[in-house]
PDB file of all heavy atoms in Angstrom:
ATOM      1  N   ILE A  51     -14.931 -54.243  -6.833  1.00 81.00           N
ATOM      2  CA  ILE A  51     -14.021 -53.760  -5.756  1.00 81.00           C
ATOM      3  C   ILE A  51     -12.621 -53.954  -6.165  1.00 81.00           C
ATOM      4  O   ILE A  51     -11.754 -53.055  -6.075  1.00 81.00           O
ATOM      5  CB  ILE A  51     -14.340 -54.605  -4.468  1.00 81.00           C
ATOM      6  CG1 ILE A  51     -15.648 -54.352  -3.974  1.00 81.00           C
ATOM      7  CG2 ILE A  51     -13.200 -54.289  -3.389  1.00 81.00           C
ATOM      8  CD1 ILE A  51     -16.173 -55.238  -2.943  1.00 81.00           C
ATOM      9  N   LEU A  52     -12.258 -55.101  -6.772  1.00 83.00           N
ATOM     10  CA  LEU A  52     -10.836 -55.370  -7.119  1.00 83.00           C
ATOM     11  C   LEU A  52     -10.279 -54.732  -8.443  1.00 83.00           C
ATOM     12  O   LEU A  52      -9.115 -54.579  -8.558  1.00 83.00           O
ATOM     13  CB  LEU A  52     -10.657 -56.926  -7.285  1.00 83.00           C
ATOM     14  CG  LEU A  52     -10.816 -57.756  -5.980  1.00 83.00           C
ATOM     15  CD1 LEU A  52     -10.549 -59.235  -6.157  1.00 83.00           C
ATOM     16  CD2 LEU A  52      -9.805 -57.205  -4.966  1.00 83.00           C
ATOM     17  N   PHE A  53     -11.229 -54.450  -9.335  1.00 80.00           N
ATOM     18  CA  PHE A  53     -10.834 -53.735 -10.539  1.00 80.00           C
ATOM     19  C   PHE A  53     -10.085 -52.487 -10.426  1.00 80.00           C
ATOM     20  O   PHE A  53      -9.035 -52.316 -10.952  1.00 80.00           O
ATOM     21  CB  PHE A  53     -11.888 -53.735 -11.547  1.00 80.00           C
ATOM     22  CG  PHE A  53     -11.475 -53.307 -12.886  1.00 80.00           C
ATOM     23  CD1 PHE A  53     -10.797 -54.116 -13.765  1.00 80.00           C
ATOM     24  CD2 PHE A  53     -11.817 -52.093 -13.475  1.00 80.00           C
ATOM     25  CE1 PHE A  53     -10.373 -53.726 -15.078  1.00 80.00           C
ATOM     26  CE2 PHE A  53     -11.384 -51.571 -14.671  1.00 80.00           C
ATOM     27  CZ  PHE A  53     -10.669 -52.390 -15.393  1.00 80.00           C
ATOM     28  N   PRO A  54     -10.732 -51.505  -9.622  1.00 79.00           N
ATOM     29  CA  PRO A  54      -9.934 -50.260  -9.496  1.00 79.00           C
ATOM     30  C   PRO A  54      -8.616 -50.500  -8.841  1.00 79.00           C
ATOM     31  O   PRO A  54      -7.628 -49.841  -9.053  1.00 79.00           O
ATOM     32  CB  PRO A  54     -10.873 -49.443  -8.664  1.00 79.00           C
ATOM     33  CG  PRO A  54     -12.180 -49.921  -8.776  1.00 79.00           C
ATOM     34  CD  PRO A  54     -12.011 -51.436  -9.125  1.00 79.00           C
ATOM     35  N   ILE A  55      -8.476 -51.386  -7.799  1.00 83.00           N
ATOM     36  CA  ILE A  55      -7.258 -51.701  -7.088  1.00 83.00           C
ATOM     37  C   ILE A  55      -6.212 -52.279  -8.130  1.00 83.00           C
ATOM     38  O   ILE A  55      -5.040 -51.686  -8.092  1.00 83.00           O
ATOM     39  CB  ILE A  55      -7.499 -52.702  -5.991  1.00 83.00           C
ATOM     40  CG1 ILE A  55      -8.383 -52.037  -4.968  1.00 83.00           C
ATOM     41  CG2 ILE A  55      -6.259 -53.107  -5.326  1.00 83.00           C
ATOM     42  CD1 ILE A  55      -8.923 -52.977  -3.854  1.00 83.00           C
ATOM     43  N   MET A  56      -6.688 -53.067  -9.054  1.00 84.00           N
ATOM     44  CA  MET A  56      -5.808 -53.698 -10.070  1.00 84.00           C
ATOM     45  C   MET A  56      -5.266 -52.672 -11.039  1.00 84.00           C
ATOM     46  O   MET A  56      -4.124 -52.628 -11.436  1.00 84.00           O
ATOM     47  CB  MET A  56      -6.429 -54.908 -10.691  1.00 84.00           C
ATOM     48  CG  MET A  56      -5.466 -55.678 -11.603  1.00 84.00           C
ATOM     49  SD  MET A  56      -4.346 -56.434 -10.636  1.00 84.00           S
ATOM     50  CE  MET A  56      -3.375 -57.225 -11.852  1.00 84.00           C
ATOM     51  N   VAL A  57      -6.198 -51.726 -11.381  1.00 81.00           N
ATOM     52  CA  VAL A  57      -5.720 -50.558 -12.245  1.00 81.00           C
ATOM     53  C   VAL A  57      -4.735 -49.686 -11.632  1.00 81.00           C
ATOM     54  O   VAL A  57      -3.747 -49.451 -12.299  1.00 81.00           O
ATOM     55  CB  VAL A  57      -7.032 -49.802 -12.655  1.00 81.00           C
ATOM     56  CG1 VAL A  57      -6.646 -48.517 -13.316  1.00 81.00           C
ATOM     57  CG2 VAL A  57      -7.934 -50.594 -13.537  1.00 81.00           C
ATOM     58  N   VAL A  58      -4.911 -49.380 -10.420  1.00 84.00           N
ATOM     59  CA  VAL A  58      -3.962 -48.581  -9.659  1.00 84.00           C
ATOM     60  C   VAL A  58      -2.605 -49.385  -9.516  1.00 84.00           C
ATOM     61  O   VAL A  58      -1.551 -48.651  -9.746  1.00 84.00           O
ATOM     62  CB  VAL A  58      -4.590 -48.148  -8.271  1.00 84.00           C
ATOM     63  CG1 VAL A  58      -3.450 -47.540  -7.437  1.00 84.00           C
ATOM     64  CG2 VAL A  58      -5.735 -47.296  -8.360  1.00 84.00           C
ATOM     65  N   LEU A  59      -2.689 -50.624  -9.256  1.00 88.00           N
ATOM     66  CA  LEU A  59      -1.315 -51.327  -9.088  1.00 88.00           C
ATOM     67  C   LEU A  59      -0.747 -51.389 -10.440  1.00 88.00           C
ATOM     68  O   LEU A  59       0.600 -51.197 -10.584  1.00 88.00           O
ATOM     69  CB  LEU A  59      -1.616 -52.699  -8.571  1.00 88.00           C
ATOM     70  CG  LEU A  59      -1.997 -52.707  -7.143  1.00 88.00           C
ATOM     71  CD1 LEU A  59      -2.368 -54.236  -6.758  1.00 88.00           C
ATOM     72  CD2 LEU A  59      -0.904 -52.219  -6.161  1.00 88.00           C
ATOM     73  N   CYS A  60      -1.327 -51.726 -11.544  1.00 87.00           N
ATOM     74  CA  CYS A  60      -0.759 -51.887 -12.808  1.00 87.00           C
ATOM     75  C   CYS A  60      -0.307 -50.520 -13.400  1.00 87.00           C
ATOM     76  O   CYS A  60       0.936 -50.460 -13.881  1.00 87.00           O
ATOM     77  CB  CYS A  60      -1.821 -52.497 -13.801  1.00 87.00           C
ATOM     78  SG  CYS A  60      -2.210 -54.163 -13.450  1.00 87.00           S
ATOM     79  N   MET A  61      -1.098 -49.533 -13.285  1.00 87.00           N
ATOM     80  CA  MET A  61      -0.566 -48.146 -13.677  1.00 87.00           C
ATOM     81  C   MET A  61       0.586 -47.645 -12.792  1.00 87.00           C
ATOM     82  O   MET A  61       1.503 -47.087 -13.315  1.00 87.00           O
ATOM     83  CB  MET A  61      -1.718 -47.169 -13.692  1.00 87.00           C
ATOM     84  CG  MET A  61      -2.754 -47.430 -14.742  1.00 87.00           C
ATOM     85  SD  MET A  61      -2.075 -47.639 -16.358  1.00 87.00           S
ATOM     86  CE  MET A  61      -1.549 -46.005 -16.715  1.00 87.00           C
ATOM     87  N   GLY A  62       0.552 -48.033 -11.491  1.00 89.00           N
ATOM     88  CA  GLY A  62       1.634 -47.610 -10.639  1.00 89.00           C
ATOM     89  C   GLY A  62       2.971 -48.388 -11.126  1.00 89.00           C
ATOM     90  O   GLY A  62       4.035 -47.726 -11.139  1.00 89.00           O
ATOM     91  N   LEU A  63       2.818 -49.686 -11.499  1.00 91.00           N
ATOM     92  CA  LEU A  63       4.079 -50.363 -11.915  1.00 91.00           C
ATOM     93  C   LEU A  63       4.619 -49.696 -13.268  1.00 91.00           C
ATOM     94  O   LEU A  63       5.772 -49.660 -13.465  1.00 91.00           O
ATOM     95  CB  LEU A  63       3.706 -51.819 -12.064  1.00 91.00           C
ATOM     96  CG  LEU A  63       3.776 -52.618 -10.855  1.00 91.00           C
ATOM     97  CD1 LEU A  63       3.350 -54.076 -11.239  1.00 91.00           C
ATOM     98  CD2 LEU A  63       5.162 -52.869 -10.428  1.00 91.00           C
ATOM     99  N   TRP A  64       3.735 -49.339 -14.132  1.00 90.00           N
ATOM    100  CA  TRP A  64       4.078 -48.804 -15.387  1.00 90.00           C
ATOM    101  C   TRP A  64       4.775 -47.528 -15.176  1.00 90.00           C
ATOM    102  O   TRP A  64       5.891 -47.248 -15.669  1.00 90.00           O
ATOM    103  CB  TRP A  64       2.877 -48.558 -16.270  1.00 90.00           C
ATOM    104  CG  TRP A  64       2.420 -49.691 -17.187  1.00 90.00           C
ATOM    105  CD1 TRP A  64       1.379 -50.543 -16.958  1.00 90.00           C
ATOM    106  CD2 TRP A  64       3.027 -50.109 -18.322  1.00 90.00           C
ATOM    107  NE1 TRP A  64       1.397 -51.508 -17.872  1.00 90.00           N
ATOM    108  CE2 TRP A  64       2.421 -51.334 -18.818  1.00 90.00           C
ATOM    109  CE3 TRP A  64       4.161 -49.670 -19.092  1.00 90.00           C
ATOM    110  CZ2 TRP A  64       2.665 -51.986 -19.936  1.00 90.00           C
ATOM    111  CZ3 TRP A  64       4.473 -50.432 -20.258  1.00 90.00           C
ATOM    112  CH2 TRP A  64       3.777 -51.521 -20.662  1.00 90.00           C
ATOM    113  N   PHE A  65       4.275 -46.632 -14.342  1.00 91.00           N
ATOM    114  CA  PHE A  65       4.810 -45.297 -14.178  1.00 91.00           C
ATOM    115  C   PHE A  65       6.170 -45.420 -13.244  1.00 91.00           C
ATOM    116  O   PHE A  65       7.063 -44.697 -13.515  1.00 91.00           O
ATOM    117  CB  PHE A  65       3.833 -44.406 -13.433  1.00 91.00           C
ATOM    118  CG  PHE A  65       2.848 -43.883 -14.268  1.00 91.00           C
ATOM    119  CD1 PHE A  65       1.560 -44.191 -14.181  1.00 91.00           C
ATOM    120  CD2 PHE A  65       3.224 -43.080 -15.398  1.00 91.00           C
ATOM    121  CE1 PHE A  65       0.521 -43.646 -14.942  1.00 91.00           C
ATOM    122  CE2 PHE A  65       2.193 -42.595 -16.258  1.00 91.00           C
ATOM    123  CZ  PHE A  65       0.897 -42.945 -16.037  1.00 91.00           C
ATOM    124  N   ILE A  66       6.280 -46.404 -12.404  1.00 92.00           N
ATOM    125  CA  ILE A  66       7.515 -46.701 -11.637  1.00 92.00           C
ATOM    126  C   ILE A  66       8.533 -47.073 -12.628  1.00 92.00           C
ATOM    127  O   ILE A  66       9.751 -46.760 -12.612  1.00 92.00           O
ATOM    128  CB  ILE A  66       7.295 -47.640 -10.544  1.00 92.00           C
ATOM    129  CG1 ILE A  66       6.524 -46.981  -9.478  1.00 92.00           C
ATOM    130  CG2 ILE A  66       8.600 -48.116  -9.976  1.00 92.00           C
ATOM    131  CD1 ILE A  66       6.100 -47.966  -8.374  1.00 92.00           C
ATOM    132  N   TRP A  67       8.176 -47.993 -13.631  1.00 92.00           N
ATOM    133  CA  TRP A  67       9.161 -48.420 -14.595  1.00 92.00           C
ATOM    134  C   TRP A  67       9.663 -47.296 -15.554  1.00 92.00           C
ATOM    135  O   TRP A  67      10.730 -47.118 -15.759  1.00 92.00           O
ATOM    136  CB  TRP A  67       8.520 -49.490 -15.488  1.00 92.00           C
ATOM    137  CG  TRP A  67       9.403 -50.049 -16.514  1.00 92.00           C
ATOM    138  CD1 TRP A  67      10.535 -50.706 -16.256  1.00 92.00           C
ATOM    139  CD2 TRP A  67       9.145 -50.178 -17.944  1.00 92.00           C
ATOM    140  NE1 TRP A  67      11.066 -51.217 -17.496  1.00 92.00           N
ATOM    141  CE2 TRP A  67      10.263 -50.744 -18.512  1.00 92.00           C
ATOM    142  CE3 TRP A  67       8.113 -49.587 -18.669  1.00 92.00           C
ATOM    143  CZ2 TRP A  67      10.403 -50.901 -19.865  1.00 92.00           C
ATOM    144  CZ3 TRP A  67       8.313 -49.831 -20.045  1.00 92.00           C
ATOM    145  CH2 TRP A  67       9.309 -50.415 -20.670  1.00 92.00           C
ATOM    146  N   PHE A  68       8.637 -46.464 -15.996  1.00 92.00           N
ATOM    147  CA  PHE A  68       9.054 -45.330 -16.700  1.00 92.00           C
ATOM    148  C   PHE A  68       9.981 -44.336 -15.934  1.00 92.00           C
ATOM    149  O   PHE A  68      10.971 -43.784 -16.488  1.00 92.00           O
ATOM    150  CB  PHE A  68       7.856 -44.433 -17.207  1.00 92.00           C
ATOM    151  CG  PHE A  68       7.047 -45.104 -18.179  1.00 92.00           C
ATOM    152  CD1 PHE A  68       5.605 -45.047 -18.208  1.00 92.00           C
ATOM    153  CD2 PHE A  68       7.606 -45.787 -19.270  1.00 92.00           C
ATOM    154  CE1 PHE A  68       4.847 -45.562 -19.243  1.00 92.00           C
ATOM    155  CE2 PHE A  68       6.829 -46.413 -20.287  1.00 92.00           C
ATOM    156  CZ  PHE A  68       5.507 -46.326 -20.275  1.00 92.00           C
ATOM    157  N   TYR A  69       9.581 -44.055 -14.676  1.00 93.00           N
ATOM    158  CA  TYR A  69      10.378 -43.156 -13.747  1.00 93.00           C
ATOM    159  C   TYR A  69      11.786 -43.765 -13.614  1.00 93.00           C
ATOM    160  O   TYR A  69      12.781 -43.097 -13.805  1.00 93.00           O
ATOM    161  CB  TYR A  69       9.718 -43.120 -12.469  1.00 93.00           C
ATOM    162  CG  TYR A  69      10.442 -42.177 -11.474  1.00 93.00           C
ATOM    163  CD1 TYR A  69      10.344 -40.859 -11.520  1.00 93.00           C
ATOM    164  CD2 TYR A  69      11.256 -42.787 -10.477  1.00 93.00           C
ATOM    165  CE1 TYR A  69      10.999 -40.052 -10.678  1.00 93.00           C
ATOM    166  CE2 TYR A  69      11.948 -41.992  -9.629  1.00 93.00           C
ATOM    167  CZ  TYR A  69      11.872 -40.643  -9.652  1.00 93.00           C
ATOM    168  OH  TYR A  69      12.527 -39.919  -8.862  1.00 93.00           O
TER     169      TYR A  69
END
Side-chain angles (χ1 to χ4, degrees):
I51 297 168
L52 292 181
F53 185 71
I55 295 170
M56 189 65 180
V57 167
V58 169
L59 289 175
C60 291
M61 291 308 294
L63 277 172
W64 275 100
F65 284 117
I66 289 171
W67 182 60
F68 288 144
Y69 178 81

